[in-house]
Amino acid sequence: KLAVLGQISAGVAHEINQPVAAIRGYVDNARVLLVQGDLPSVAGNLDVVTGLTDRIGLITRELRTFSQQTPGAPEPVRLVDAIDGALALMRPLLRASAISLQRVDADPHLVVAANRVRLEQVLMNLLQNASEAVADRADPRVKITSGAEDAGAWIEIEDNGPGIPSDQLERLFTPFATTKKNGLGLGLVICRDILAAFGGSLEYRAAAMSGACFRIRLGTC
């Protein structure tokens, strides 16, 4: 537990990067709307910013809770709700990067055993990784798919980026191992540990779109 806590503590800045970046985007947009006199839209942006700051508080609270005691039992979470929550934060980034997003939900009523906030953290992290992987592609594409399997459910996030070099696969989930120039090498480790806390898992596979594909496995309720 201390080893995991050390990894998560070092990666807190990494984990809250997405909502912080989204806050900056909404504030910059609010400035433009304010000049245009579109006060209702400004108010809407501020409401979103309030929600994002609440989310950051939840993330840091989860860290404090983890450091003090064993996480509580998983709760029923509708899978599409967790995906919706993650995409609500990531769509501005995907649009700004001209990334084509495809989503396929096999069963909109599928309920998994998880923690919604933590599951959304994992999805956001994987979507962030995918968006960075396709940054240099002429036709950047990211696909998120979910479905049911025997006694469980799965979510896949794949991209048409360069994929993971074969010499990096064995160290993919090793702390501080990264292929990114400024990466911490903690994102996938934290994702795996978050999922393991409620009985889930994370694995890598080559994507059908020629890039990377990460599959989340979860138990169903």
Side-chain angles (χ1 to χ4, degrees), residues 5 7 23 29 34 38 91 119 131 176 182-183 195 198 205:
L5 179 59
Q7 294 169 7
I23 287 172
N29 182 249
L34 191 60
D38 189 352
R91 273 201 178 93
L119 180 54
S131 67
F176 307 109
N182 298 312
L195 293 170
F198 39 80
R205 60 178 63 189

PDB file of all heavy atoms in Angstrom, residues 5 7 23 29 34 38 91 119 131 176 182-183 195 198 205:
ATOM      1  N   LEU A   5       0.825   4.197  -2.682  1.00  0.00           N
ATOM      2  CA  LEU A   5       0.598   5.562  -2.211  1.00  0.00           C
ATOM      3  C   LEU A   5       1.697   6.488  -2.719  1.00  0.00           C
ATOM      4  O   LEU A   5       1.429   7.621  -3.137  1.00  0.00           O
ATOM      5  CB  LEU A   5       0.550   5.595  -0.682  1.00  0.00           C
ATOM      6  CG  LEU A   5       0.346   6.973  -0.039  1.00  0.00           C
ATOM      7  CD1 LEU A   5      -0.956   7.595  -0.522  1.00  0.00           C
ATOM      8  CD2 LEU A   5       0.358   6.850   1.480  1.00  0.00           C
ATOM      9  N   GLN A   7       3.453   6.122  -5.462  1.00  0.00           N
ATOM     10  CA  GLN A   7       3.235   6.308  -6.891  1.00  0.00           C
ATOM     11  C   GLN A   7       2.125   7.322  -7.139  1.00  0.00           C
ATOM     12  O   GLN A   7       2.259   8.233  -7.967  1.00  0.00           O
ATOM     13  CB  GLN A   7       2.861   4.967  -7.536  1.00  0.00           C
ATOM     14  CG  GLN A   7       3.980   3.933  -7.507  1.00  0.00           C
ATOM     15  CD  GLN A   7       3.487   2.555  -7.893  1.00  0.00           C
ATOM     16  OE1 GLN A   7       2.339   2.388  -8.297  1.00  0.00           O
ATOM     17  NE2 GLN A   7       4.331   1.567  -7.747  1.00  0.00           N
ATOM     18  N   ILE A  23     -10.474  23.649 -17.299  1.00  0.00           N
ATOM     19  CA  ILE A  23     -10.819  24.922 -16.643  1.00  0.00           C
ATOM     20  C   ILE A  23     -10.221  26.083 -17.417  1.00  0.00           C
ATOM     21  O   ILE A  23     -10.882  27.095 -17.669  1.00  0.00           O
ATOM     22  CB  ILE A  23     -10.328  24.926 -15.176  1.00  0.00           C
ATOM     23  CG1 ILE A  23     -11.212  24.007 -14.322  1.00  0.00           C
ATOM     24  CG2 ILE A  23     -10.352  26.347 -14.595  1.00  0.00           C
ATOM     25  CD1 ILE A  23     -10.690  23.787 -12.921  1.00  0.00           C
ATOM     26  N   ASN A  29     -12.505  30.841 -23.004  1.00  0.00           N
ATOM     27  CA  ASN A  29     -13.699  30.982 -23.821  1.00  0.00           C
ATOM     28  C   ASN A  29     -14.679  31.974 -23.199  1.00  0.00           C
ATOM     29  O   ASN A  29     -15.331  32.759 -23.902  1.00  0.00           O
ATOM     30  CB  ASN A  29     -14.371  29.623 -23.997  1.00  0.00           C
ATOM     31  CG  ASN A  29     -15.605  29.688 -24.871  1.00  0.00           C
ATOM     32  OD1 ASN A  29     -16.732  29.521 -24.403  1.00  0.00           O
ATOM     33  ND2 ASN A  29     -15.418  29.939 -26.162  1.00  0.00           N
ATOM     34  N   LEU A  34     -17.646  37.091 -22.925  1.00  0.00           N
ATOM     35  CA  LEU A  34     -17.927  38.298 -22.160  1.00  0.00           C
ATOM     36  C   LEU A  34     -17.776  39.537 -23.035  1.00  0.00           C
ATOM     37  O   LEU A  34     -18.605  40.453 -22.981  1.00  0.00           O
ATOM     38  CB  LEU A  34     -16.978  38.382 -20.960  1.00  0.00           C
ATOM     39  CG  LEU A  34     -17.290  39.450 -19.904  1.00  0.00           C
ATOM     40  CD1 LEU A  34     -18.671  39.232 -19.303  1.00  0.00           C
ATOM     41  CD2 LEU A  34     -16.223  39.417 -18.808  1.00  0.00           C
ATOM     42  N   ASP A  38     -22.312  37.848 -24.416  1.00  0.00           N
ATOM     43  CA  ASP A  38     -23.129  36.632 -24.289  1.00  0.00           C
ATOM     44  C   ASP A  38     -23.082  36.149 -22.840  1.00  0.00           C
ATOM     45  O   ASP A  38     -22.412  35.160 -22.516  1.00  0.00           O
ATOM     46  CB  ASP A  38     -22.595  35.562 -25.238  1.00  0.00           C
ATOM     47  CG  ASP A  38     -23.510  34.350 -25.324  1.00  0.00           C
ATOM     48  OD1 ASP A  38     -24.479  34.268 -24.532  1.00  0.00           O
ATOM     49  OD2 ASP A  38     -23.257  33.475 -26.176  1.00  0.00           O
ATOM     50  N   ARG A  91     -13.999  16.056 -24.418  1.00  0.00           N
ATOM     51  CA  ARG A  91     -14.438  16.476 -25.757  1.00  0.00           C
ATOM     52  C   ARG A  91     -13.832  17.802 -26.220  1.00  0.00           C
ATOM     53  O   ARG A  91     -13.453  17.930 -27.389  1.00  0.00           O
ATOM     54  CB  ARG A  91     -15.968  16.543 -25.823  1.00  0.00           C
ATOM     55  CG  ARG A  91     -16.603  15.211 -26.182  1.00  0.00           C
ATOM     56  CD  ARG A  91     -18.027  15.373 -26.740  1.00  0.00           C
ATOM     57  NE  ARG A  91     -18.571  14.087 -27.111  1.00  0.00           N
ATOM     58  CZ  ARG A  91     -19.308  13.321 -26.312  1.00  0.00           C
ATOM     59  NH1 ARG A  91     -19.564  13.744 -25.071  1.00  0.00           N
ATOM     60  NH2 ARG A  91     -19.769  12.170 -26.717  1.00  0.00           N
ATOM     61  N   LEU A 119     -13.246   5.535 -11.895  1.00  0.00           N
ATOM     62  CA  LEU A 119     -13.349   4.970 -13.238  1.00  0.00           C
ATOM     63  C   LEU A 119     -13.245   6.070 -14.287  1.00  0.00           C
ATOM     64  O   LEU A 119     -12.590   5.908 -15.329  1.00  0.00           O
ATOM     65  CB  LEU A 119     -14.667   4.204 -13.387  1.00  0.00           C
ATOM     66  CG  LEU A 119     -14.919   3.549 -14.753  1.00  0.00           C
ATOM     67  CD1 LEU A 119     -13.770   2.638 -15.148  1.00  0.00           C
ATOM     68  CD2 LEU A 119     -16.245   2.772 -14.728  1.00  0.00           C
ATOM     69  N   SER A 131      -5.137  10.771 -27.337  1.00  0.00           N
ATOM     70  CA  SER A 131      -5.112  12.044 -28.066  1.00  0.00           C
ATOM     71  C   SER A 131      -3.677  12.493 -28.329  1.00  0.00           C
ATOM     72  O   SER A 131      -3.374  13.044 -29.401  1.00  0.00           O
ATOM     73  CB  SER A 131      -5.878  13.118 -27.298  1.00  0.00           C
ATOM     74  OG  SER A 131      -5.224  13.464 -26.092  1.00  0.00           O
ATOM     75  N   PHE A 176       7.343   4.933 -13.615  1.00  0.00           N
ATOM     76  CA  PHE A 176       8.342   5.832 -14.182  1.00  0.00           C
ATOM     77  C   PHE A 176       8.909   5.364 -15.524  1.00  0.00           C
ATOM     78  O   PHE A 176       9.868   5.961 -16.015  1.00  0.00           O
ATOM     79  CB  PHE A 176       9.480   6.104 -13.179  1.00  0.00           C
ATOM     80  CG  PHE A 176       8.988   6.591 -11.848  1.00  0.00           C
ATOM     81  CD1 PHE A 176       9.043   5.778 -10.729  1.00  0.00           C
ATOM     82  CD2 PHE A 176       8.426   7.850 -11.730  1.00  0.00           C
ATOM     83  CE1 PHE A 176       8.563   6.213  -9.500  1.00  0.00           C
ATOM     84  CE2 PHE A 176       7.940   8.302 -10.506  1.00  0.00           C
ATOM     85  CZ  PHE A 176       8.010   7.487  -9.394  1.00  0.00           C
ATOM     86  N   ASN A 182       8.119  14.325 -21.818  1.00  0.00           N
ATOM     87  CA  ASN A 182       7.943  14.935 -20.504  1.00  0.00           C
ATOM     88  C   ASN A 182       7.018  14.112 -19.612  1.00  0.00           C
ATOM     89  O   ASN A 182       6.410  14.638 -18.678  1.00  0.00           O
ATOM     90  CB  ASN A 182       7.391  16.360 -20.648  1.00  0.00           C
ATOM     91  CG  ASN A 182       8.339  17.274 -21.398  1.00  0.00           C
ATOM     92  OD1 ASN A 182       9.528  17.314 -21.108  1.00  0.00           O
ATOM     93  ND2 ASN A 182       7.817  18.005 -22.372  1.00  0.00           N
ATOM     94  N   GLY A 183       6.900  12.821 -19.898  1.00  0.00           N
ATOM     95  CA  GLY A 183       5.993  11.977 -19.130  1.00  0.00           C
ATOM     96  C   GLY A 183       6.572  11.566 -17.787  1.00  0.00           C
ATOM     97  O   GLY A 183       7.790  11.492 -17.609  1.00  0.00           O
ATOM     98  N   LEU A 195      -8.154   0.475 -10.902  1.00  0.00           N
ATOM     99  CA  LEU A 195      -9.056  -0.592 -11.334  1.00  0.00           C
ATOM    100  C   LEU A 195      -8.954  -1.811 -10.431  1.00  0.00           C
ATOM    101  O   LEU A 195      -9.966  -2.438 -10.093  1.00  0.00           O
ATOM    102  CB  LEU A 195      -8.747  -0.981 -12.782  1.00  0.00           C
ATOM    103  CG  LEU A 195      -9.059   0.087 -13.833  1.00  0.00           C
ATOM    104  CD1 LEU A 195      -8.482  -0.314 -15.187  1.00  0.00           C
ATOM    105  CD2 LEU A 195     -10.557   0.322 -13.946  1.00  0.00           C
ATOM    106  N   PHE A 198     -11.123  -2.066  -7.206  1.00  0.00           N
ATOM    107  CA  PHE A 198     -12.486  -2.602  -7.215  1.00  0.00           C
ATOM    108  C   PHE A 198     -12.616  -3.811  -8.133  1.00  0.00           C
ATOM    109  O   PHE A 198     -13.646  -4.044  -8.772  1.00  0.00           O
ATOM    110  CB  PHE A 198     -13.548  -1.537  -7.538  1.00  0.00           C
ATOM    111  CG  PHE A 198     -13.193  -0.531  -8.592  1.00  0.00           C
ATOM    112  CD1 PHE A 198     -13.290  -0.835  -9.950  1.00  0.00           C
ATOM    113  CD2 PHE A 198     -12.785   0.740  -8.224  1.00  0.00           C
ATOM    114  CE1 PHE A 198     -13.001   0.115 -10.906  1.00  0.00           C
ATOM    115  CE2 PHE A 198     -12.479   1.681  -9.189  1.00  0.00           C
ATOM    116  CZ  PHE A 198     -12.589   1.380 -10.518  1.00  0.00           C
ATOM    117  N   ARG A 205      -3.263  -4.139 -25.927  1.00  0.00           N
ATOM    118  CA  ARG A 205      -3.271  -4.983 -27.123  1.00  0.00           C
ATOM    119  C   ARG A 205      -3.097  -4.094 -28.339  1.00  0.00           C
ATOM    120  O   ARG A 205      -3.378  -2.884 -28.279  1.00  0.00           O
ATOM    121  CB  ARG A 205      -4.574  -5.785 -27.226  1.00  0.00           C
ATOM    122  CG  ARG A 205      -5.820  -4.930 -27.303  1.00  0.00           C
ATOM    123  CD  ARG A 205      -7.070  -5.788 -27.455  1.00  0.00           C
ATOM    124  NE  ARG A 205      -7.270  -6.649 -26.304  1.00  0.00           N
ATOM    125  CZ  ARG A 205      -8.184  -7.617 -26.270  1.00  0.00           C
ATOM    126  NH1 ARG A 205      -8.947  -7.849 -27.321  1.00  0.00           N
ATOM    127  NH2 ARG A 205      -8.328  -8.353 -25.188  1.00  0.00           N
TER     128      ARG A 205
END
